[in-house]
Amino acid sequence: MSVDRNTRDLEPGIERDFSRKMSYGSYLGLDELLSAQHPVSSHHDEMLFIIQHQTSELWLKLVLHELRGVRTRLMADDLRSAMKGIARIKHIQRSLTEQWSVLATLTPSEYAGFRGELGASSGFQSYQYRAVEFLLGNKNAAMLEVFRSDREAQALLAELLSATSVYDEFIAALARRGYEVPQELLERDVTQAHVFNAALMDIFRHVYEHPAENWDIYEACEELVDLEDNFQLWRFRHLLTVQRTIGMKRGTGGSSGAHFLRSALDLTFFPELYAVRTEIKQG
C-alpha cells in the first residue's frame, strides 16, 4: 500500500448496480425512515429531541416483539428459550437507558426554544411503552382512554389488557411443574394488575432456599428481577432527565411531569420476587 494515499480501492467483487437487486437502503426502508423527522420549529436542537424519541420507539417495538416471544415460549414450557429472550431484552433496555444521556445534553434554555411548539404531544402517549407495561403485568384499563383517537393503538392495548402477562405465564408454568400455585392466581382476572400473593412468595422462598434442586426456576426468577431492575433504572433515568430539562413543570400531555414519573417508581411487576429476599432463611 502506498504511503501517499489514504484511500482503498473497491474490491472487484463488491456490488455496484442495485437497479435490479435489493440494497442495504431498500431492505431497511431508509428513504422512509430518514425522512420521518418533521420538526415543527426552526430550532437546531429539535432534531435531537425527535430522533431520541423515534429511536426509543424502535427499541420498544423490538422489546414488544421479544416479550410476545417470551410469553409464547413460557406457554409451551420452553423455559430456556424464554430466558434467552429476556437476556436479549436486557441488552435492549441497557441501550434505552443509555440514550437518556444524549437527551440530557439538551439544556433547559435549548428545550424552551421549541417546547411550546409541541402542543399536547408527550411521551406519556407512547402506546408501545404502555403495551410493554401491560405485557409485564402493570395493567391499567384507564390508559386506553388516552388512545381514543388512535384506534389501532387502542386495539393493541385492549388485546394485551385481556391477555395474560409474562408473569402470569411464568406462574402457570410453575403450576405445571408441580409447584403449589394458588388456584386464584391461575384463574384471576388478567385485566387487573398482579398484586402480591403470600402463598406465591412461599414458593419462591423454597426455590431460593434450595437453589440446586430448583436451578432453572431459580435462574429464571433472577432473570425476571434483572428485567424489572432495568425497567426501574430506565424510569429513574427518565425522571432525572425531565427534572434536569424542565424541573417541576407540568408535562406537555397534561401530566404533573416529574411528580407523575416519580410515582411510577412505586409500581412493580414481580412483587413476590422482591419480597422473598426479606424472608429467605439464613443457612
Side-chain angles (χ1 to χ4, degrees), residues 21 38 69 121 190 234 239:
K21 298 176 182 178
H38 306 289
S121 64
V190 297
W234 185 91
L239 168 65

Side-chain angles (χ1 to χ4, degrees), residues 161-269:
L161 182 70
S162 300
T164 54
S165 70
V166 166
Y167 199 39
D168 288 326
E169 292 302 340
F170 179 59
I171 292 168
L174 290 177
R176 292 191 294 272
R177 289 282 193 98
Y179 293 93
E180 296 183 5
V181 174
Q183 195 64 26
E184 66 265 22
L185 287 180
L186 302 175
E187 299 174 353
R188 78 179 195 89
D189 179 1
V190 297
T191 66
Q192 302 297 311
H194 174 86
V195 294
F196 175 82
N197 183 286
L200 180 60
M201 190 185 68
D202 287 341
I203 293 173
F204 291 137
R205 178 169 56 194
H206 172 76
V207 168
Y208 274 85
E209 289 177 352
H210 304 90
E213 295 88 347
N214 304 275
W215 185 259
D216 57 345
I217 300 299
Y218 172 74
E219 189 174 35
C221 289
E222 286 298 286
E223 288 290 323
L224 289 172
V225 170
D226 285 347
L227 189 67
E228 175 152 348
D229 276 0
N230 287 348
F231 204 94
Q232 291 286 38
L233 284 172
W234 185 91
R235 283 170 166 166
F236 184 65
R237 194 69 180 88
H238 185 190
L239 168 65
L240 292 183
T241 303
V242 167
Q243 287 181 322
R244 175 175 179 148
T245 310
I246 65 168
M248 305 307 289
K249 292 186 177 75
R250 294 189 66 83
T252 48
S255 76
S256 58
H259 289 295
F260 184 82
L261 296 176
R262 188 177 297 278
S263 68
L265 296 175
D266 293 328
L267 302 176
T268 180
F269 301 119

Side-chain angles (χ1 to χ4, degrees), residues 22-38 54 58:
M22 181 169 62
S23 69
Y24 173 81
S26 61
Y27 174 65
L28 295 177
L30 289 184
D31 285 348
E32 181 179 5
L33 184 66
L34 297 180
S35 61
Q37 295 74 48
H38 306 289
Q54 287 182 336
L58 285 172

Side-chain angles (χ1 to χ4, degrees), residues 101-114:
S101 64
V102 181
L103 191 61
T105 65
L106 187 68
T107 67
S109 299
E110 290 166 346
Y111 187 35
F114 63 88

Side-chain angles (χ1 to χ4, degrees), residues 57 60-61 64-65 68 71 125-135 139 143-144 147 150-164:
E57 290 296 330
L60 286 171
K61 182 174 184 176
L64 282 172
H65 176 71
R68 285 182 181 274
R71 186 177 61 181
Q125 298 144 20
S126 170
Y127 73 86
Q128 291 196 122
Y129 173 81
R130 299 302 167 196
V132 168
E133 284 197 320
F134 281 16
L135 267 169
K139 304 289 185 73
M143 286 296 177
L144 270 66
F147 303 96
D150 187 340
R151 291 186 178 182
E152 288 189 13
Q154 191 177 61
L156 171 64
L157 292 176
E159 172 203 336
L160 295 178
L161 182 70
S162 300
T164 54

